Amino acid sequence: MGSEKGLREAMASVSGSRNDNAAEEASSPDMLKNTPSNIRRLAHEIEQFEGRHKYLAQTTSPSDGGDVRWYFCKTHLAENELAASVPRSEIVGKGDYFRFGMRDSLAIEASFLQREEELLSIWWKEYAECSVGPRGQPGSYSTLNQQLKESSLETEEERVGVPVKGGLYEVDLVKRHCFPVYWSGENHRVLRGHWFARKGGLDWLPLREDVAEQLEFAYRSKVWHRRTFQPSGLFAARVDLQGSNPGLHALFTGEDDSWEAWLNADASGLSTVITLGANSIKLRRGYVPALSSKPTQDELRQQKEEEMDDYCSQVPVRHLLFMVHGIGQRLEKSNLVDDVIDFREVTASLAERHLSSYQLGTQRVLFIPCQWRKGLKLSSEHAVDRITLDGVRKLRVMLSATVHDVLYYMSPIYCQAIIDSVSNQLNRLYLKFLKRNPGYDGKVSIYGHSLGSVLSYDILCHQETLSSPFPMECMYEDQNANKLYDPNTIGLSSDCTLASNVEDRSNVNDETNREAGITNKGDPRLEPCFLGPVDNQDKNSLNPVNPLASSDSDILTLTGGTCEPMNISDGVVESHEENIDEEVPENDKDKQIELLKEEIDLLQAKIKELESTCGAGNVEKAKAMSKQPISDGPPLGPNHASKSYTPYIKYTKLAFKVDTFFTVGSPLGVFLSLRNVRIGIGKGKDYWEEDNINEEMPACRQMFNIFHPFDPVAYRIEPLVCKEYVDKRPVIIPYHRGEKRLYVRFQEFREGLASHSQALMDQMTAVRVKVLTICESRNKDNLDEGSENVLAKEERSYGSIMMERVTGSEDGRIDHSLQKLLERS
């Protein structure tokens, strides 16, 4: 290019003014961030570039200026599409591109000037790949596309560019891409605008880079001094422009340092792309604002976005808010990113209206979407699609994309995968934010909508204990089976079996053995086992199952001189225990202990005699078999010791502490009710007067539940924290204009009047009772005021204390309701 000499001089001047270490530090990503301090430094550095000086106004023409602005395309690039291939026309179409904010453009331009020669070389090489060759065929376009695709896949996680638009996007100047940081999105084309054209209207639109660079070379050469008579009738210098449109050229006119230029085309090129007004398009160098007195909606939106971006580049982030979506993200038109952007715009307008200038200038909130469902693939989705009926297909597809997410989470098979997706996504987003904002010490909150609030709540409740039973276990478990296979009572290891429990129950007296169907011989006082072979008559008269309890708690049955494992029902063992409690008096404990010791010695002797009779091998085999759990349930497999009948969910530790937890349009209340869960610290059994409730507390500083009264899936939460709040109305959120609607004010006035009247009556009753009490107890000392205050504090219920803990305030509330749109005030 013709400007390479000037670029080399600019780079040489920069390298000469700094040493190598300083240059390396200045080009680091942290030094190029558009923070307030860096913006001031970047503005100073841009002014020091010799290349920048060459670009600044060198003539006295009103068409000359030095303001460079960067643009991004509203439509995203197609897959494998190179940025140099668009736009197709030499002049950008109106409304196709949006400008970056002034401070964002300043940051991008500073980064561009530091690598100007390298970046231009890369861009021209890419442009050559996209250009049509001499035979009308693209060069090695597909090959370059494949190389760029492979390199992008390899460095996707390490891709870091110049932050723009409040840090939500970054600009890759090598590929000329603007890409989102915290979610997977498409790349947008980035364009450097320093030559502009005006097509019929009052707006100056940027030219494509290849045309702008050729015009820049002509401008640097002051080509208007070599003007000649042109066929168009102008005394001007003609500059033929190389590009996809034949006959494209520019005409420069002027004298001394004053010049003007027009973009024109021959007859052969008129019908291709450009529609010329009076066969010419006015050109200028440098950006100027639009001169329209009545801006269009796009211009107003553009201005609003620029102001917002400039504000975000100056004010640091002090509050990070992760927005967790609920059901419906698999629908075709559902996009959490667009919803978060709209939410950001609404909150920004509300902040301007209700916050002071000091509050606006010291901190801002960054909203980041958490798309946990987008990359989650569940194995049963394909099976559900195959069994879906054809009738009312659209309705079934909608239900599958919405309600089925709730069913998946209520299933013990997919609950773990959903929890992992949410928690891992939250940690990944937070670490990504820390990488770009090291040393961040501001607040981090979670905004959960619909099902997302339930997922976030379960994660927050298990930050201390990172594993727990399946949340919806109570909806699936069988109470009888749960009692039978409860690992806390029976145990799942070979060391914790029912046979070991029989050790404490095997020592019984003669009467107890007879009740169990066992005949004792030998010692008339105590003989708990039957030894030796027995004849058929004796077998018929005795219980065919005879227990023999050893000191190792082994239970054997001796039948016909052989040893077999015993099978005892739970009822027999329980009856032994009951008889012991009934027959042993309280004052005869010592005697019973002596009897048990004698019985142990006798059992040890019987074991030795049994080994000599049956053989040691059979006894060891019987010992091993007797250690299996004995129950009336189905037979257990050989690996039963390592299995649990209750599915457990493992939770991931979050990399941050949550300040505020917002539940919006949330069914959390009904989920907790189905689980029989209350929000507390585990000491409210007497308060709730229910035996089978569980309590849990989310790990956050405060919690708010926001809903619309007509939302069919939203539920209250306060009655699950404090039962005194069942009859209390939720807090009414003021209208966004700073007031409440007429019917809300009237309803609050009526309720307030009723409550004040009731409070007055209660006060009068209390005064009357107090007066009567004083009259009846004149001789008693009056209680001091301090003791009354202590008594009042002690009268606070457990639920009110939990409300204070959840909300962070003694008078805090959780449930907040939006106003009904019935009428306007």
Side-chain angles (χ1 to χ4, degrees):
M1 291 179 54
S3 60
E4 290 184 357
K5 181 178 179 181
L7 297 175
R8 294 193 189 97
E9 293 177 357
M11 298 300 293
S13 64
V14 173
S15 60
S17 62
R18 309 175 185 174
N19 54 35
D20 295 338
N21 294 334
E24 182 178 357
E25 180 182 359
S27 60
S28 63
D30 291 339
M31 299 299 289
L32 291 177
K33 291 181 179 179
N34 53 349
T35 58
S37 59
N38 279 346
I39 287 293
R40 291 190 294 269
R41 180 182 57 81
L42 292 174
H44 176 72
E45 289 185 359
I46 287 177
E47 295 301 326
Q48 301 304 316
F49 279 109
E50 184 173 343
R52 177 62 174 168
H53 284 303
K54 291 180 178 294
Y55 181 77
L56 292 177
Q58 300 179 8
T59 66
T60 59
S61 174
S63 300
D64 189 17
D67 192 4
V68 177
R69 297 298 294 269
W70 286 80
Y71 291 75
F72 68 95
C73 185
K74 292 195 298 184
T75 59
H76 59 81
L77 291 171
E79 187 177 1
N80 300 331
E81 184 178 16
L82 299 179
S85 63
V86 292
R88 313 294 181 189
S89 60
E90 281 74 16
I91 303 176
V92 172
K94 184 177 181 181
D96 295 339
Y97 278 71
F98 270 4
R99 293 185 304 274
F100 285 104
M102 182 184 64
R103 301 173 70 87
D104 286 345
S105 287
L106 191 62
I108 300 173
E109 181 69 7
S111 180
F112 175 83
L113 289 178
Q114 289 182 344
R115 306 169 56 194
E116 185 176 7
E117 186 174 5
E118 175 191 358
L119 294 174
L120 286 176
S121 176
I122 294 174
W123 187 88
W124 279 108
K125 185 181 297 185
E126 183 177 307
Y127 178 77
E129 294 288 341
C130 300
S131 299
V132 178
R135 295 184 180 180
Q137 297 293 332
S140 56
Y141 179 79
S142 59
T143 305
L144 180 62
N145 256 339
Q146 185 65 24
Q147 294 175 355
L148 291 176
K149 183 179 180 181
E150 293 176 357
S151 62
S152 63
L153 290 177
E154 294 175 357
T155 61
E156 183 177 359
E157 293 298 330
E158 292 78 19
R159 190 180 185 186
V160 177
V162 181
V164 294
K165 304 189 78 63
L168 294 177
Y169 292 83
E170 290 180 351
V171 172
D172 184 356
L173 289 174
V174 175
K175 298 180 180 180
R176 300 294 178 96
H177 287 172
C178 179
F179 59 93
V181 178
Y182 299 105
W183 62 88
S184 298
E186 296 84 0
N187 296 313
H188 292 261
R189 163 79 156 103
V190 172
L191 182 145
R192 184 174 184 252
H194 58 114
W195 277 85
F196 297 82
R198 186 164 62 186
K199 292 174 29 176
L202 300 176
D203 297 335
W204 292 94
L205 303 176
L207 296 175
R208 202 172 59 196
E209 282 97 329
D210 60 324
V211 178
E213 290 297 334
Q214 296 178 68
L215 293 173
E216 181 69 12
F217 175 73
Y219 169 82
R220 297 280 181 89
S221 304
K222 296 186 177 181
V223 69
W224 58 86
H225 288 308
R226 300 191 296 272
R227 60 190 182 278
T228 59
F229 184 79
Q230 302 295 325
S232 59
L234 293 175
F235 191 70
R238 176 185 172 116
V239 178
D240 293 323
L241 302 175
Q242 303 297 323
S244 58
N245 296 300
L248 186 67
H249 63 275
L251 297 177
F252 282 82
T253 63
E255 298 179 0
D256 300 329
D257 288 337
S258 178
W259 65 273
E260 289 182 346
W262 292 265
L263 187 65
N264 210 332
D266 293 334
S268 58
L270 287 177
S271 61
T272 55
V273 176
I274 301 178
T275 302
L276 297 177
N279 295 333
S280 62
I281 298 177
K282 182 71 174 178
L283 297 177
R284 70 162 286 113
R285 184 175 180 268
Y287 169 77
V288 290
L291 303 177
S292 176
S293 58
K294 294 182 179 181
T296 62
Q297 292 296 328
D298 286 343
E299 292 172 349
L300 293 176
R301 180 186 173 190
Q302 169 73 67
Q303 182 181 358
K304 188 176 181 180
E305 282 196 14
E306 287 189 65
E307 293 175 355
M308 173 62 67
D309 294 342
D310 289 338
Y311 165 77
C312 292
S313 65
Q314 302 177 61
V315 180
V317 176
R318 301 302 301 165
H319 199 152
L320 186 63
L321 185 64
F322 293 115
M323 308 191 75
V324 184
H325 66 77
I327 62 176
Q329 285 302 304
R330 290 196 297 154
L331 292 174
E332 182 179 357
K333 296 183 179 180
S334 296
N335 192 339
L336 178 65
V337 176
D338 294 339
D339 297 336
V340 172
I341 292 176
D342 294 339
F343 190 86
R344 172 185 175 225
E345 294 176 355
V346 171
T347 53
S349 62
L350 291 177
E352 293 178 357
R353 182 176 300 170
H354 298 287
L355 298 182
S356 63
S357 58
Y358 173 78
Q359 291 173 323
L360 291 173
T362 54
Q363 59 181 344
R364 66 183 176 95
V365 182
L366 182 64
F367 302 95
I368 297 180
C370 177
Q371 296 175 296
W372 59 268
R373 191 63 175 92
K374 187 174 183 179
L376 182 62
K377 303 297 182 183
L378 303 178
S379 58
S380 66
E381 293 177 358
H382 299 291
V384 172
D385 293 338
R386 289 194 294 266
I387 65 176
T388 302
L389 299 178
D390 294 333
V392 287
R393 185 72 182 181
K394 292 184 179 180
L395 177 61
R396 296 180 187 276
V397 171
M398 185 191 69
L399 292 176
S400 177
T402 55
V403 180
H404 284 188
D405 286 343
V406 179
L407 300 180
Y408 286 138
Y409 183 62
M410 295 172 63
S411 168
I413 300 176
Y414 302 107
C415 178
Q416 182 70 67
I418 293 176
I419 286 292
D420 290 343
S421 179
V422 177
S423 55
N424 292 339
Q425 183 79 348
L426 288 173
N427 282 340
R428 186 185 69 84
L429 294 173
Y430 180 71
L431 295 178
K432 218 171 209 183
F433 175 80
L434 281 187
K435 182 178 180 181
R436 290 159 173 78
N437 300 271
Y440 175 76
D441 58 351
K443 299 178 181 179
V444 182
S445 299
I446 293 179
Y447 176 104
H449 175 252
S450 185
L451 180 62
S453 63
V454 180
L455 305 179
S456 304
Y457 173 84
D458 288 340
I459 293 174
L460 292 178
C461 285
H462 297 91
Q463 290 302 293
E464 298 296 332
T465 303
L466 296 179
S467 65
S468 71
F470 173 56
M472 304 302 295
E473 176 192 3
C474 60
M475 299 184 65
Y476 296 93
E477 65 180 359
D478 185 357
Q479 297 296 333
N480 296 330
N482 186 46
K483 293 180 181 178
L484 183 60
Y485 297 111
D486 188 0
N488 297 326
T489 58
I490 295 179
L492 298 176
S493 64
S494 59
D495 297 333
C496 186
T497 63
L498 185 61
S500 64
N501 296 333
V502 179
E503 179 181 4
D504 297 333
R505 305 173 182 176
S506 62
N507 303 322
V508 294
N509 52 23
D510 188 27
E511 182 180 355
T512 305
N513 287 334
R514 285 197 299 270
E515 292 179 359
I518 302 174
T519 302
N520 299 327
K521 293 185 178 181
D523 189 354
R525 178 178 55 83
L526 179 64
E527 187 170 349
C529 61
F530 180 83
L531 297 178
V534 294
D535 53 14
N536 293 335
Q537 183 178 0
D538 291 334
K539 288 181 182 180
N540 295 331
S541 62
L542 298 177
N543 190 331
V545 180
N546 298 292
L548 177 62
S550 68
S551 59
D552 297 330
S553 303
D554 298 322
I555 304 176
L556 305 177
T557 299
L558 182 61
T559 305
T562 61
C563 298
E564 298 178 358
M566 186 197 76
N567 186 10
I568 300 179
S569 64
D570 294 340
V572 174
V573 179
E574 291 176 359
S575 66
H576 291 177
E577 189 174 12
E578 292 174 359
N579 291 335
I580 291 175
D581 295 337
E582 292 176 0
E583 295 185 4
V584 179
E586 194 68 29
N587 55 3
D588 202 15
K589 297 294 184 181
D590 295 337
K591 183 178 179 179
Q592 183 66 26
I593 291 175
E594 292 296 327
L595 291 176
L596 293 176
K597 289 181 179 180
E598 294 177 4
E599 184 179 358
I600 292 175
D601 296 337
L602 181 61
L603 290 174
Q604 290 177 350
K606 297 293 184 181
I607 286 294
K608 293 180 180 180
E609 184 178 354
L610 180 64
E611 288 178 353
S612 62
T613 304
C614 300
N618 292 333
V619 174
E620 293 298 329
K621 182 179 179 180
K623 285 182 178 181
M625 297 179 64
S626 65
K627 291 184 179 180
Q628 297 181 1
I630 303 173
S631 65
D632 296 333
L636 305 178
N639 298 327
H640 170 69
S642 62
K643 293 182 179 179
S644 172
Y645 289 95
T646 302
Y648 268 70
I649 304 299
K650 295 181 179 179
Y651 294 86
T652 303
K653 185 73 174 179
L654 295 180
F656 53 89
K657 292 184 178 180
V658 177
D659 180 81
T660 306
F661 176 41
F662 299 94
T663 64
V664 182
S666 171
L668 177 61
V670 73
F671 271 78
L672 297 182
S673 300
L674 293 176
R675 301 174 187 174
N676 210 9
V677 169
R678 305 292 182 267
I679 298 180
I681 57 176
K683 299 181 180 180
K685 184 176 181 180
D686 296 335
Y687 172 75
W688 292 105
E689 299 177 352
E690 298 180 30
D691 296 333
N692 57 344
I693 65 167
N694 297 317
E695 291 187 73
E696 55 191 17
M697 180 69 66
C700 58
R701 186 178 65 87
Q702 58 183 352
M703 176 179 176
F704 297 104
N705 181 37
I706 304 172
F707 54 86
H708 192 278
F710 294 160
D711 190 345
V713 300
Y715 290 84
R716 294 191 62 187
I717 294 180
E718 286 179 345
L720 300 179
V721 183
C722 180
K723 60 185 180 182
E724 288 84 7
Y725 279 72
V726 174
D727 298 328
K728 283 192 176 183
R729 294 174 55 86
V731 178
I732 302 297
I733 300 177
Y735 189 50
H736 69 87
R737 294 178 179 175
E739 58 186 11
K740 295 181 180 180
R741 299 183 183 276
L742 180 60
Y743 77 95
V744 174
R745 294 201 299 266
F746 175 74
Q747 189 174 19
E748 288 185 347
F749 171 76
R750 186 178 59 184
E751 293 177 355
L753 183 61
S755 61
H756 285 305
S757 301
Q758 185 64 34
L760 181 59
M761 293 179 62
D762 294 341
Q763 186 177 6
M764 293 178 63
T765 304
V767 170
R768 180 173 176 271
V769 172
K770 187 175 182 180
V771 170
L772 294 176
T773 304
I774 293 176
C775 294
E776 293 176 358
S777 58
R778 293 181 179 179
N779 297 330
K780 295 182 180 180
D781 296 332
N782 294 328
L783 296 176
D784 56 346
E785 185 178 356
S787 61
E788 291 180 357
N789 293 335
V790 173
L791 183 60
K793 291 183 179 180
E794 292 178 353
E795 290 178 353
R796 289 187 61 191
S797 65
Y798 174 81
S800 63
I801 297 174
M802 292 302 100
M803 281 289 296
E804 180 179 357
R805 179 160 182 171
V806 174
T807 61
S809 173
E810 184 174 352
D811 300 326
R813 297 290 303 272
I814 299 177
D815 293 336
H816 292 73
S817 174
L818 298 174
Q819 300 180 42
K820 304 174 186 178
L821 300 178
L822 296 180
E823 57 179 316
R824 293 185 178 274
S825 57

